Amino acid sequence: MAKRIEDLQIIGNKPISNIFFILELFGNTKIPDFKPGQFVQVRVDGSPETFLRRPISIHDVDYDKNTFKLLIQTAGKGTKALSRLIKGDVLNLVYPLGNSFSLPIINEKVLLVGGGCGIAPLLFLGKYLHLNGVIPDILLGFRNEARIIEFEEYHKIGNVFLATEDGSQGEKGFVTDHSVFLTRKYDRIYCCGPNSMMKAIAGYCKSKEIVCEVSLENLMACGIGACLCCVVDTVKGNLCTCIDGPVFNVNDLRW
Ligand SMILES: Cc1cc2nc3c(=O)[nH]c(=O)nc-3n(C[C@H](O)[C@H](O)[C@H](O)COP(=O)(O)OP(=O)(O)OC[C@H]3O[C@@H](n4cnc5c(N)ncnc54)[C@H](O)[C@@H]3O)c2cc1C
Ligand code: FES
């Protein structure tokens, strides 16, 4: 898919908790057919410290309105600057970047697992699966009830299960402790979140011979395979997360 460098219009910036917000972007030209798992590199203007573009996943797409959404967690200077953007501002993107999640085989039982801002690419993936006749189970993990976001959106496309670290909603503990892993059987698991979480899910899937794809959130600079700062060790050698990923089958990763 051809990559573009384009200015897009911000048509909304909606805070959805004290640390998460959703930017809605309108394309002046027809937006491309995104694949679930792909991301954009956002230019953050205004400070030399945010000189490098920030990678952000495609969260949701509306082809009829020619818009798409980014779900962003405020982490540092770059994302903080993005949180201050308002309707009418312009955002410069390099996009669409990266590979994508693979589609399940017919009748496979599918689970999506997301933790924190790792839930971002799973809404678009879930909608894509739903459109293709797959109703996934979706397990979302948050620190506490106040951090739960987008529950209703995920609820529209699958069976949602929650885990919170303090037990204020759903089951208490990490997603990896959730009872779905004991009570339900899956053929394929898609996962995005902190590395420790993805590694635990990968270990579980390997032990049960479940197909598992994870979306890595390695630090990135160029986003197009030139700087090698996002390299990941795989059974196929060193690969760039930005062009060979961010989605990898866990059997390919040397974890
Ligand atoms: C392919 C990909 C998709 C991503 N999708 C999303 C998304 O949809 N929503 C979202 O909120 N975030 C996403 N991230 C993470 C996001 O890119 C970082 O949080 C962001 O670049 C931090 O920039 P900053 O200037 O705010 O923080 P910095 O000042 O650069 O860093 C603040 C803190 O965040 C950590 N950090 C920086 N970059 C990353 C990173 N790539 N991954 C994890 N931690 C990082 C730093 O180590 C530091 O502790 C994605 C990352 C990748 C690689
Ligand atoms: S970010 Fe530069 S090679 Fe991947």
Side-chain angles (χ1 to χ4, degrees):
M1 198 184 289
K3 294 171 191 32
R4 311 170 175 188
I5 304 181
E6 256 176 22
D7 286 336
L8 287 100
Q9 275 181 54
I10 299 200
I11 57 166
N13 181 354
K14 184 172 136 206
I16 49 170
S17 77
N18 56 349
I19 55 162
F20 285 98
F21 58 99
I22 292 182
L23 289 182
E24 188 169 8
L25 305 170
F26 174 77
N28 295 315
T29 58
K30 188 177 175 305
I31 58 172
D33 284 330
F34 293 112
K35 294 191 235 153
Q38 288 192 306
F39 65 99
V40 301
Q41 280 273 71
V42 181
R43 194 178 74 201
V44 185
D45 295 325
S47 163
E49 287 170 76
T50 55
F51 165 72
L52 294 171
R53 287 176 183 264
R54 288 349 193 218
I56 303 291
S57 307
I58 304 291
H59 177 56
D60 200 4
V61 183
D62 187 330
Y63 293 109
D64 293 336
K65 291 202 292 182
N66 207 39
T67 60
F68 61 96
K69 291 179 182 169
L70 308 176
L71 167 65
I72 304 176
Q73 177 173 5
T74 309
K77 286 218 162 106
T79 45
K80 194 159 265 173
L82 295 175
S83 74
R84 290 193 286 263
L85 293 172
I86 55 168
K87 189 173 172 184
D89 283 345
V90 163
L91 197 60
N92 186 274
L93 302 186
V94 178
Y95 78 116
L97 299 171
N99 65 354
S100 64
F101 293 102
S102 59
L103 271 180
I105 299 164
I106 279 177
N107 291 333
E108 277 189 337
K109 192 91 188 86
V110 171
L111 174 69
L112 315 187
V113 185
C117 75
I119 73 166
L122 301 183
L123 183 66
F124 183 41
L125 170 64
K127 286 194 170 181
Y128 197 87
L129 295 174
H130 200 261
L131 269 178
N132 284 279
V134 179
I135 309 292
D137 282 356
I138 304 167
L139 172 58
L140 305 175
F142 300 98
R143 196 165 293 169
N144 54 46
E145 189 176 14
R147 290 275 183 107
I148 296 173
I149 50 166
E150 295 281 271
F151 178 83
E152 291 305 325
E153 288 302 308
Y154 291 86
H155 190 59
K156 288 178 196 162
I157 49 162
N159 313 306
V160 184
F161 301 89
L162 281 177
T164 50
E165 287 174 36
D166 65 355
S168 46
Q169 270 288 336
E171 290 187 19
K172 183 173 181 177
F174 296 117
V175 284
T176 42
D177 305 321
H178 200 278
S179 61
V180 285
F181 294 106
L182 297 172
T183 56
R184 293 173 172 243
K185 283 198 161 41
Y186 296 103
D187 303 298
R188 189 177 288 260
I189 295 182
Y190 302 100
C191 181
C192 186
N195 257 3
S196 54
M197 180 191 109
M198 291 195 286
K199 283 185 177 171
I201 299 286
Y204 169 80
C205 290
K206 282 183 183 175
S207 71
K208 303 276 182 197
E209 297 188 353
I210 297 169
V211 179
C212 181
E213 291 182 343
V214 291
S215 181
L216 301 185
E217 293 201 344
N218 289 16
L219 292 176
M220 289 187 183
C222 72
I224 53 168
C227 71
L228 304 185
C229 85
C230 66
V231 157
V232 59
D233 187 15
T234 78
V235 295
K236 299 168 184 167
N238 285 334
L239 295 178
C240 288
T241 305
C242 64
I243 50 169
D244 303 304
V247 179
F248 291 91
N249 185 306
V250 293
N251 291 329
D252 290 340
L253 294 171
R254 287 197 197 277
W255 273 2

